[in-house]
């Protein structure tokens, strides 16, 4: 083998040259990899003994795309276009040999090769849309020329990669190799095409499929309609569609110009910056400073859940779905039967939609058992308590767990607001106690706040993070404080939303501004959905002093009673309520507010800036490890728009100095709840970023 550079080697196998890339972890197209391809192919072309070239990768995958860490930095070495041109214009066939994932720029390189072979487990895709981008190295022009515009537009807007077998069916892969013999099979394939004198197939010249789609705008109208709801606010999906339209309607070189223009626009825009931040944040969040990666974990073979209510049921489903047996313990048979019945219904509903089979329903229910005796938890490795939110009840349960559970078992609570140190204090093993704060519906929501208490051991934390990954959650490690990270930040927004409607805004104004910002719904629409009577009690109700109590007493309990902050028709379509408007005005007068015009900007800033400020306080107190973990919590637990990167990233994007100045202005006008965090003040004074401050 002759080294081309640190990450590329060229060797000859008879008359076939094999260019091998090896740039861990994912062979991303860094400057070195681009140079390796460019020079390696150039050398193989110059070698008269070589008849064909195989491009293959070592390690876990074929090229997984452009090197995202290089984005925004000054370009070095040959461009990706130079490397691709060297391949596509080669006078000898170049064969891409694909294993793992050929993604983004990786697939775009493979698309400039004349042929592609892949192992059956490989997948090929253009996931740039997930980074707020579009394939910027010819992918939007070449892919539809092979798979057709309809399939291509679906691939680039979803970002979902296609399994190799399907790639072979649609011609994206020319031949499937043996799972363990890719190199040898690719060389044999290259020899075969040389022997057969097959042509140098250039995807760019194959116009049949794109021409056939000309004059059929419905292809694009349909996809726009299909993804509208899911992609609201995102720029990249629409830009991807426009590129495929260009592939259909323009010659290749013109199409490439459209792709380049739109790619650069996205690449330099705020959305892609935010989405790239989220890509790395999602990977950072698992890394816990101070805990060794290889720390011995507690094997979790059986899980116990206490409480078969809203949360207990959903939490159980997560483990059962991952094939882990679960025993649910309830106070009585009736709530146990009810809880198990709800779980079964949930699975049956999923099966009726064709997402699992009827046999899956039985397999999953078979992994689930119920009991009314806490002793059933004796052989569990992880026990999660999800009973009523009451300290006495929870402490009583943890005392029992301390007696019953085997040594080494993890004792977790799903409390959303109680102090976990206090819960742990009633046991003789506080190191085993941790918070596992699931979000409702627990079988659907991706977020898990793993709450480290004072004495929680490293092994319990590491195991909790690992088990979260196993059940498909994204977990953020947070500390004990009221509301932990997510709800603590939510409380800021909630407080301001309630104040704003007393000062002059209406609930629908606040909701509209936050919806337009990109959140799934505003706080008042959310209350209507959850039910205004959540936690409401007749004995303590104060209809003359508390707006919510008044609405509940008027039977305005939310969507379920057809009215809450809004009025609802039979399709649950909301319209602003005159009755509510009058009550709000009455309450404003009672609380001595002179109603005024509240601008949309003020609504946004009053709701969102205190959230950012609270994030700083959380960091300052060490209740979250890093700013990007807070972003992960808000994106996955509360629907913060990914294209705004999470509240902490958003704060930095608009300028922390601006956030601070507004907080100071609000503090003067509205009071101490706007007091800026000391960390925010320090960062602005020192002009530093989160990373520079160690967050
Ligand atoms: N650039 C730089 N680093 C990358 C990377 C990339 N394209 N893809 C992955 N990495 C890094 C990750 O950050 C992670 O680093 P860490 O270990 O320091 O945290 C490491 O590689 C391993 O990644 P994962 O933890 O995600 O590993 P998995 O095995 O779970 O997944 C993968 C592998 C499927 C390749 C996944 O990493 C992935 O989806 N990567 C992104 C693929 C992508 O989006 N490609 C398109 C890039 S944009 C582009 O190509 C533009 C072009 O059109 C011009
Ligand atoms: P729920 O009222 O729906 O369910 C609680 C269940 O616990 C009931 O079925 C009850 O019979 C059972 N239970 C009570 N005492 C018990 C005991 N001693 N032994 C066994 N079972 C007992 O309540 P929900 O909503 O499921 O909440 C449970 C916990 O999860 C609470 O701590 C809550 O704060 C927390 N949580 C709730 C969220 C939500 O959105 N509902 C979100 C995140 C956390």
């Amino acid at each position: 083998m002759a080294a081309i550079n640190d990450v590329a080697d060229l060797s000859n196998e008879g008359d076939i040259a094999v260019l091998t890339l090896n740039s861990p972890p994912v062979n991303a197209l860094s400057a070195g990899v681009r140079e390796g391809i460019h020079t390696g192919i150039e050398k193989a072309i110059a070698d008269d003994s070589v008849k064909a070239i195989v491009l293959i990768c070592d390690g876990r995958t074929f090229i997984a795309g452009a090197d995202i860490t290089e984005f925004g930095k000054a370009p070095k070495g040959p461009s990706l276009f130079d490397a691709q041109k060297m391949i596509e214009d080669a006078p000898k066939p170049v064969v891409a040999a694909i294993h793992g994932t050929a993604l983004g720029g990786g697939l775009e390189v493979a698309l400039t090769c004349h042929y592609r072979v892949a192992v059956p487990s490989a997948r090929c895709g253009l996931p740039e849309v997930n980074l707020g981008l579009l394939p910027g190295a010819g992918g939007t022009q070449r892919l539809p020329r092979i798979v057709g515009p309809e399939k291509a537009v679906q691939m680039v807007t979803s970002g979902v990669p296609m399994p190799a077998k399907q790639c072979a069916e649609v011609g994206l892969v020319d031949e499937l190799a043996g799972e363990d013999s890719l190199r040898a099979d690719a060389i044999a394939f290259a020899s075969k095409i040389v022997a057969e004198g097959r042509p140098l197939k250039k995807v760019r010249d194959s116009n049949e499929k794109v021409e056939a789609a000309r004059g059929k705008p419905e292809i694009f109208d349909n996809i726009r309609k299909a993804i509208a709801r899911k992609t609201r606010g995102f720029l990249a999906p629409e830009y991807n569609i426009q590129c495929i339209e260009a592939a259909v309607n323009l010659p290749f070189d013109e199409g490439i110009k459209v792709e380049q223009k739109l790619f650069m626009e996205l690449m330099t825009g705020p959305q892609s910056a935010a989405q790239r931040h989220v890509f790395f944040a999602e990977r950072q969040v698992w890394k816990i400073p101070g805990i060794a990666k290889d720390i011995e974990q507690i094997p979790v073979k059986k899980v116990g859940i206490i409480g078969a209510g809203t949360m207990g049921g959903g939490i159980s489903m997560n483990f059962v779905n991952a094939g882990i047996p679960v025993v649910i313990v309830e106070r009585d048979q009736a709530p146990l039967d009810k809880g198990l019945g709800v779980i079964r219904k949930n699975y049956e509903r999923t099966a009726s939609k064709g997402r699992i089979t009827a046999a899956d329903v039985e397999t999953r229910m078979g992994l689930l058992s119920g009991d009314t005796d806490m002793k059933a938890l004796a052989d569990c490795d992880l026990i999660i308590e999800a009973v009523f939110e009451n300290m006495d009840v929870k402490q009583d349960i943890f005392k029992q767990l301390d007696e019953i559970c085997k040594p080494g078992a993890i004792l977790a609570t799903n409390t959303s607001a109680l102090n976990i140190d206090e819960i742990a204090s009633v046991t003789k093993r506080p190191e085993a106690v941790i918070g596992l704060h699931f979000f409702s519906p627990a079988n659907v929501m991706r977020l898990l706040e793993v709450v480290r208490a004072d004495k929680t051991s490293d092994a319990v934390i590491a195991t909790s993070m690992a088990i979260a990954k196993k059940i498909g959650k994204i977990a953020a490690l947070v500390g004990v404080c009221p509301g932990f990270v997510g709800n603590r930040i939510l409380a800021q927004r909630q407080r301001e939303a309630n104040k704003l409607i007393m000062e002059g805004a209406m609930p629908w104004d606040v909701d509209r501004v936050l919806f337009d910002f990109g959140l799934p719904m505003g706080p008042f629409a959310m209350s209507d959905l959850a039910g205004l009577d959540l936690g409401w009690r007749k004995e303590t109700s104060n209809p003359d002093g508390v707006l919510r109590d008044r609405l509940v007493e008027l039977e305005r309990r939310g969507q379920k009673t057809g009215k809450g902050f809004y009025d609802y028709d039979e399709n649950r379509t909301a319209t602003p309520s005159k009755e509510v408007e009058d009550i709000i005005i009455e309450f404003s007068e009672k609380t001595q507010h002179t109603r005024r015009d509240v601008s949309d900007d003020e609504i946004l800033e009053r709701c969102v800036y205190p959230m950012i400020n609270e994030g700083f306080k959380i960091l300052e107190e060490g209740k979250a490890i890093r700013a990007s973990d807070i972003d992960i919590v808000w994106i996955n637990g509360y629907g913060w728009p990914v294209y705004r990167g999470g509240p902490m990233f958003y704060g930095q994007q608009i300028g922390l100095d601006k956030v601070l100045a507004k907080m100071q202005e609000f503090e003067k006008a509205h009071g101490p709840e706007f007091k800026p965090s000391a960390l925010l003040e320090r960062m602005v004074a020192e002009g530093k970023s989160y990373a520079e401050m160690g967050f």
Side-chain angles (χ1 to χ4, degrees):
M1 274 222 204
I4 301 291
N5 62 14
D6 287 355
V7 293
D9 277 291
L10 188 64
S11 65
N12 285 7
E13 298 274 338
D15 54 8
I16 308 297
V18 181
L19 178 59
T20 308
L21 304 173
N22 186 6
S23 179
V26 295
N27 289 308
L29 289 157
S30 60
V33 171
R34 296 195 303 270
E35 195 216 3
I37 297 174
H38 191 265
T39 311
I41 299 284
E42 193 173 35
K43 279 200 170 162
I45 292 171
D47 183 343
D48 288 338
S49 71
V50 167
K51 297 273 187 307
I53 305 159
V54 168
L55 175 65
I56 193 166
C57 293
D58 269 351
R60 65 211 238 202
T61 179
F62 189 76
I63 305 164
D67 186 340
I68 308 167
T69 60
E70 279 187 358
F71 287 2
K73 296 184 187 154
K76 275 197 303 195
S79 71
L80 185 49
F81 273 110
D82 293 338
Q84 287 177 300
K85 193 165 161 43
M86 186 62 75
I87 297 173
E88 197 165 50
D89 291 347
K92 316 169 178 184
V94 183
V95 177
I98 300 169
H99 77 293
T101 41
L103 297 179
L107 180 57
E108 291 175 297
V109 165
L111 282 167
T112 53
C113 294
H114 306 108
Y115 294 92
R116 287 155 294 281
V117 297
V119 297
S121 63
R123 284 174 301 140
C124 299
L126 295 174
E128 284 86 344
V129 71
N130 297 327
L131 297 169
L133 290 173
L134 53 87
T140 65
Q141 305 306 299
R142 289 192 180 87
L143 186 67
R145 285 178 155 76
I146 297 194
V147 304
E150 216 160 342
K151 184 80 208 160
V153 78
Q154 187 247 321
M155 283 177 78
V156 294
T157 52
S158 73
V160 177
M162 197 193 268
K165 283 184 192 156
Q166 228 174 304
C167 292
E169 282 161 22
V170 296
L172 187 51
V173 160
D174 296 282
E175 197 166 281
L176 288 174
E179 194 60 57
D180 300 314
S181 53
L182 178 62
R183 192 172 189 276
D185 290 356
I187 292 169
F189 178 81
S191 298
K192 186 171 74 179
I193 54 175
V194 170
E196 292 175 2
R198 287 210 218 163
L200 294 173
K201 276 203 307 185
K202 287 191 190 177
V203 177
R204 54 173 291 153
D205 295 335
S206 164
N207 292 325
E208 211 174 292
K209 288 191 174 155
V210 285
E211 279 169 7
R214 249 171 233 169
K216 292 183 184 162
E218 64 276 11
I219 296 176
F220 303 104
D221 295 344
N222 290 346
I223 189 97
R224 282 192 174 98
K225 262 187 230 138
I227 65 172
R229 216 169 135 230
K230 215 170 137 206
T231 60
R232 180 178 72 91
F234 287 87
L235 279 181
E238 170 58 26
Y239 280 32
N240 271 277
I241 295 174
Q242 288 178 18
C243 285
I244 308 287
E245 279 179 321
V248 166
N249 297 318
L250 300 172
F252 182 84
D253 287 328
E254 294 302 310
I256 287 283
K257 280 186 200 152
V258 172
E259 183 190 89
Q260 269 308 291
K261 180 177 166 286
L262 296 182
F263 177 79
M264 284 318 293
E265 212 178 294
L266 289 176
M267 176 65 117
T268 51
Q271 290 205 352
S272 178
Q275 289 180 251
R276 285 172 351 236
H277 160 77
V278 175
F279 176 86
F280 289 113
E282 281 179 349
R283 283 154 181 82
Q284 279 289 103
V285 76
W286 299 102
K287 296 173 189 162
I288 313 298
I291 299 188
K293 246 175 132 181
D294 56 355
I295 186 171
E296 199 173 326
Q297 292 184 14
I298 301 153
V300 177
K301 298 207 179 82
K302 185 172 177 192
V303 173
I305 309 284
I306 314 171
T310 312
M311 294 307 288
I315 295 170
S316 304
M317 290 173 76
N318 287 302
F319 292 96
V320 166
N321 294 348
I324 303 171
V326 170
V327 55
I328 307 188
V329 173
E330 256 291 348
R331 297 179 289 175
D332 294 305
Q333 196 62 39
L336 180 60
D337 291 344
K338 187 174 165 213
L340 289 171
V342 170
I343 296 177
R344 174 172 278 284
K345 265 214 192 94
N346 269 333
Y347 281 136
E348 283 170 351
R349 202 174 320 121
T350 312
S352 73
K353 290 182 189 151
R355 287 203 233 120
I356 57 171
T357 64
D360 291 334
V361 177
E362 296 316 317
T363 311
R364 293 181 194 194
M365 289 309 292
L367 284 171
L368 202 56
S369 59
D371 216 301
T372 52
D373 187 347
M374 292 278 281
K375 291 202 184 72
L377 301 167
D379 62 344
C380 292
D381 307 293
L382 163 66
I383 297 95
I384 305 173
E385 164 280 308
V387 305
F388 303 136
E389 187 76 336
N390 175 297
M391 183 56 90
D392 291 340
V393 177
K394 296 214 192 249
Q395 284 188 329
D396 179 51
I397 293 225
F398 274 76
K399 273 185 209 151
Q400 293 182 56
L401 290 178
D402 203 16
E403 299 297 317
I404 292 164
C405 295
K406 65 182 183 187
I410 299 176
L411 312 183
T413 171
N414 181 48
T415 180
S416 35
L418 300 175
N419 185 319
I420 300 173
D421 290 317
E422 281 177 36
I423 297 176
S425 71
V426 300
T427 71
K428 290 188 282 303
R429 40 173 140 173
E431 72 285 352
V433 178
I434 194 162
L436 292 182
H437 185 216
F438 288 82
F439 286 69
S440 183
N443 54 319
V444 176
M445 295 294 289
R446 250 187 110 202
L447 179 66
L448 179 65
E449 280 183 328
V450 174
V451 194
R452 154 195 244 159
D454 251 2
K455 298 196 172 126
T456 312
S457 76
D458 286 356
V460 167
I461 294 172
T463 306
S464 299
M465 297 299 286
I467 199 84
K469 201 173 228 176
K470 185 154 188 195
I471 61 172
K473 300 289 174 199
I474 185 152
L477 183 63
V478 303
V480 176
C481 57
F484 310 130
V485 166
N487 285 343
R488 177 169 163 179
I489 290 178
L490 178 68
Q492 295 290 318
R493 189 190 80 183
Q494 202 60 39
R495 184 196 63 227
E496 288 312 306
N498 289 333
K499 277 163 52 189
L500 282 163
I501 60 170
M502 288 301 126
E503 291 173 32
M506 280 292 155
W508 27 98
D509 299 323
V510 177
D511 283 352
R512 174 181 43 78
V513 168
L514 291 172
F515 180 78
D516 289 348
F517 180 74
L519 284 150
M521 61 177 77
F524 300 103
M526 188 68 208
S527 294
D528 276 2
L529 184 66
L532 267 65
D533 54 359
L534 207 76
W536 173 86
R537 284 184 24 238
K538 177 80 191 132
E539 309 82 70
T540 50
S541 181
N542 173 13
D544 293 324
V546 178
L547 175 62
R548 183 191 70 157
D549 292 0
R550 169 77 71 84
L551 297 182
V552 173
E553 297 217 359
L554 288 168
E555 280 307 308
R556 303 196 69 100
R557 290 171 185 247
Q559 285 197 19
K560 61 186 172 189
T561 53
K563 50 188 188 172
F565 283 102
Y566 295 84
D567 291 332
Y568 294 89
D569 66 12
E570 58 285 2
N571 302 317
R572 297 210 166 186
T573 306
T575 43
S577 154
K578 179 76 177 73
E579 184 179 30
V580 171
E581 189 170 332
D582 292 342
I583 297 171
I584 288 174
I585 291 168
E586 177 200 319
F587 267 74
S588 286
E589 280 164 9
K590 257 195 225 159
T591 46
Q592 263 106 55
H593 282 97
T594 312
R595 290 184 72 82
R596 61 184 170 87
D597 279 342
V598 178
S599 71
D600 287 359
D601 282 350
E602 180 177 349
I603 292 175
L604 189 65
E605 290 165 352
R606 287 270 301 275
C607 287
V608 173
Y609 289 12
M611 295 169 66
I612 302 169
N613 191 51
E614 197 65 23
F616 276 99
K617 291 186 182 166
I618 287 168
L619 289 175
E620 202 171 284
E621 294 165 24
K623 302 299 180 190
I625 297 171
R626 43 182 97 77
S628 64
D629 289 6
I630 299 177
D631 291 337
I632 288 294
V633 166
W634 259 76
I635 287 170
N636 294 284
Y638 302 83
W640 181 280
V642 178
Y643 59 81
R644 293 195 197 274
M648 304 313 281
F649 182 84
Y650 178 68
Q652 192 153 274
Q653 209 166 41
I654 51 179
L656 295 183
D657 52 346
K658 194 172 157 211
V659 176
L660 176 62
K662 271 285 167 196
M663 290 300 292
Q664 288 163 337
E665 183 190 315
F666 289 149
E667 189 186 15
K668 270 197 203 116
H670 303 285
E673 59 265 41
F674 287 95
K675 186 174 169 38
S677 118
L679 177 62
L680 171 61
E681 286 176 334
R682 212 165 77 229
M683 278 180 66
V684 172
E686 295 176 19
K688 288 197 168 143
S689 66
Y690 298 120
E692 286 168 311
M693 296 297 281
F695 292 114

